Amino acid sequence: MRFQDKVVWLTGASSGIGEALAYQFANEGAKLIISSRRIKELERVQQNIHGECLIIPIDITDSISLDNAVNHTIEHYGKIDVLVNNAGISQRSLAVDTQALVDRKIMEVNYFGTINITKKILPHMIKNGSGQIVVISSLVGKFGFPLRSAYAASKHALHGFFETLQLELKAYRDISITIICPGRIKTNISLNALNNDGSVYGKMDEGQDKGMSADICAQKIVTSIYQKKREVYIGGVDIVMVYLKRYLPSLFYWIARRINPT
Ligand SMILES: NC(=O)c1ccc[n+]([C@@H]2O[C@H](COP(=O)([O-])OP(=O)(O)OC[C@H]3O[C@@H](n4cnc5c(N)ncnc54)[C@H](OP(=O)(O)O)[C@@H]3O)[C@@H](O)[C@H]2O)c1
């Protein structure tokens, strides 16, 4: 019960990693707030949880609904101990073909939505003198990868923002930032990914299908959050690419050109 009575707000809790995190945190005694756009899916998740679990529907790109959601949550629980920024969408299209509206949409959800809710909750954590902000980035936040130009850009941008925040918060010893970088995890992310024109890709990629289970990923994430790690890589052999990019970049590019991106 490492999160007994801690108030944990999960975005993107209606499926995949977010849903698995909801169950892990509930098992650890947390009081949950679960958010995403699809209320029916959030209700399904809530029904699987025995402890406290408040549904706050949000579209992460809608700033006004975020204001209402934050006010409602603070009124209900009085504080937020852990914010897990998990909501996100991916992409399956070549950069050269991708329409600007798709680049913008992915940045709106993955980057602007995430920093927007973070900035609304951070002042409450500063007032309370404690809190933890978690961001689910990706290994693709550490290197570029084919068919994911906007997605990789949005995740790289998160690193710039949250690494800066880690430094700026040095005066607040009890407020921490944890950046999580999963590799391929078996969720609906490829089904929900966007094509070059903004239509939905709608396929379970082979690479996704062979990925780590969302439950194991969520277990590792919860432990990393508990340990207040600064940056964590979760996955299989794909993690090696982070170190190849850093120490043997020529080999990284040689391999990355040959990996099947779907
Ligand atoms: N699966 C992987 O291989 C992998 C690897 C690295 C990183 N990640 C990251 O992990 C996070 C979760 O992805 P997943 O794999 O669990 O995919 P997923 O099953 O497609 O889940 C995505 C979640 O984000 C929510 N969401 C999407 N757009 C939203 C919006 N505008 N407002 C609010 N919520 C929104 C979705 O809920 P609604 O549709 O109900 O709004 C859903 O709950 C993402 O940030 C993703 O980039 C995944």
Side-chain angles (χ1 to χ4, degrees), residues 173-244:
R173 292 188 50 182
D174 291 326
I175 301 179
S176 59
I177 305 287
T178 297
I179 305 174
I180 306 279
C181 305
R184 281 174 167 166
I185 312 299
K186 189 176 175 184
T187 68
N188 287 344
I189 189 118
S190 70
L191 288 158
N192 297 326
L194 302 183
N195 291 318
N196 65 325
D197 58 356
S199 59
V200 175
Y201 176 71
K203 286 180 227 156
M204 174 59 82
D205 277 346
E206 195 188 332
Q208 219 68 63
D209 201 34
K210 290 183 180 153
M212 176 184 279
S213 80
D215 287 341
I216 292 177
C217 176
Q219 280 169 29
K220 289 176 187 286
I221 292 175
V222 169
T223 297
S224 305
I225 295 172
Y226 179 71
Q227 293 172 340
K228 295 193 162 69
K229 298 262 188 187
R230 255 198 292 272
E231 185 170 295
V232 185
Y233 309 135
I234 295 174
V237 285
D238 35 3
I239 291 174
V240 174
M241 296 296 274
V242 176
Y243 299 101
L244 287 182

Side-chain angles (χ1 to χ4, degrees), residues 6-32:
K6 296 283 181 199
V7 177
V8 177
W9 190 345
L10 295 169
T11 70
S14 62
S15 84
I17 296 171
E19 178 177 356
L21 281 172
Y23 303 144
Q24 292 292 331
F25 274 115
N27 289 341
E28 299 272 3
K31 295 176 179 174
L32 286 176

Side-chain angles (χ1 to χ4, degrees), residues 137-143 152 155-156 159 181:
S137 172
S138 166
L139 291 184
V140 176
K142 304 298 289 181
F143 52 77
K155 297 296 188 180
H156 276 70
H159 284 257
C181 305

Side-chain angles (χ1 to χ4, degrees), residues 11-18 35-38 41 58-61 85-90 105 109-110 136-139 151 155 181-189 192 208:
T11 70
S14 62
S15 84
I17 296 171
S35 293
S36 80
R37 292 164 302 176
R38 291 172 300 160
E41 289 303 305
I58 55 169
D59 181 331
I60 199 89
T61 63
N85 286 303
N86 169 72
I89 48 170
S90 193
K105 169 89 196 254
V109 176
N110 295 1
I136 310 297
S137 172
S138 166
L139 291 184
Y151 180 71
K155 297 296 188 180
C181 305
R184 281 174 167 166
I185 312 299
K186 189 176 175 184
T187 68
N188 287 344
I189 189 118
N192 297 326
Q208 219 68 63

Side-chain angles (χ1 to χ4, degrees), residues 2-261:
R2 295 175 291 182
F3 287 86
Q4 185 68 48
D5 294 330
K6 296 283 181 199
V7 177
V8 177
W9 190 345
L10 295 169
T11 70
S14 62
S15 84
I17 296 171
E19 178 177 356
L21 281 172
Y23 303 144
Q24 292 292 331
F25 274 115
N27 289 341
E28 299 272 3
K31 295 176 179 174
L32 286 176
I33 302 132
I34 57 170
S35 293
S36 80
R37 292 164 302 176
R38 291 172 300 160
I39 299 174
K40 280 221 162 79
E41 289 303 305
L42 292 171
E43 285 170 350
R44 179 184 58 74
V45 174
Q46 187 190 45
Q47 278 162 14
N48 294 326
I49 288 173
H50 299 300
E52 266 186 73
C53 178
L54 179 70
I55 292 178
I56 304 271
I58 55 169
D59 181 331
I60 199 89
T61 63
D62 177 354
S63 189
I64 292 167
S65 91
L66 287 187
D67 279 332
N68 295 335
V70 172
N71 293 340
H72 186 77
T73 305
I74 296 292
E75 265 169 36
H76 188 88
Y77 282 125
K79 61 169 184 169
I80 295 150
D81 293 305
V82 183
L83 166 67
V84 183
N85 286 303
N86 169 72
I89 48 170
S90 193
Q91 171 194 15
R92 292 294 182 274
S93 57
L94 293 172
V96 68
D97 298 333
T98 301
Q99 293 180 10
L101 64 93
V102 176
D103 293 313
R104 287 188 182 279
K105 169 89 196 254
I106 291 173
M107 288 300 286
E108 282 296 338
V109 176
N110 295 1
Y111 178 70
F112 289 110
T114 296
I115 69 159
N116 204 357
I117 190 168
T118 296
K119 287 184 182 191
K120 290 179 195 297
I121 290 175
L122 184 57
H124 295 281
M125 290 184 172
I126 289 175
K127 200 169 145 208
N128 285 339
S130 70
Q132 189 172 8
I133 298 175
V134 181
V135 60
I136 310 297
S137 172
S138 166
L139 291 184
V140 176
K142 304 298 289 181
F143 52 77
F145 199 65
L147 306 185
R148 311 235 194 333
S149 51
Y151 180 71
S154 70
K155 297 296 188 180
H156 276 70
L158 289 173
H159 284 257
F161 180 88
F162 282 98
E163 284 169 19
T164 301
L165 201 52
Q166 274 168 343
L167 298 170
E168 289 180 355
L169 289 170
K170 65 176 188 295
Y172 303 95
R173 292 188 50 182
D174 291 326
I175 301 179
S176 59
I177 305 287
T178 297
I179 305 174
I180 306 279
C181 305
R184 281 174 167 166
I185 312 299
K186 189 176 175 184
T187 68
N188 287 344
I189 189 118
S190 70
L191 288 158
N192 297 326
L194 302 183
N195 291 318
N196 65 325
D197 58 356
S199 59
V200 175
Y201 176 71
K203 286 180 227 156
M204 174 59 82
D205 277 346
E206 195 188 332
Q208 219 68 63
D209 201 34
K210 290 183 180 153
M212 176 184 279
S213 80
D215 287 341
I216 292 177
C217 176
Q219 280 169 29
K220 289 176 187 286
I221 292 175
V222 169
T223 297
S224 305
I225 295 172
Y226 179 71
Q227 293 172 340
K228 295 193 162 69
K229 298 262 188 187
R230 255 198 292 272
E231 185 170 295
V232 185
Y233 309 135
I234 295 174
V237 285
D238 35 3
I239 291 174
V240 174
M241 296 296 274
V242 176
Y243 299 101
L244 287 182
K245 166 91 187 298
R246 196 176 302 163
Y247 299 114
L248 293 167
S250 300
L251 183 57
F252 164 83
Y253 282 103
W254 190 88
I255 295 173
R257 282 196 195 100
R258 284 161 179 80
I259 296 176
N260 175 5

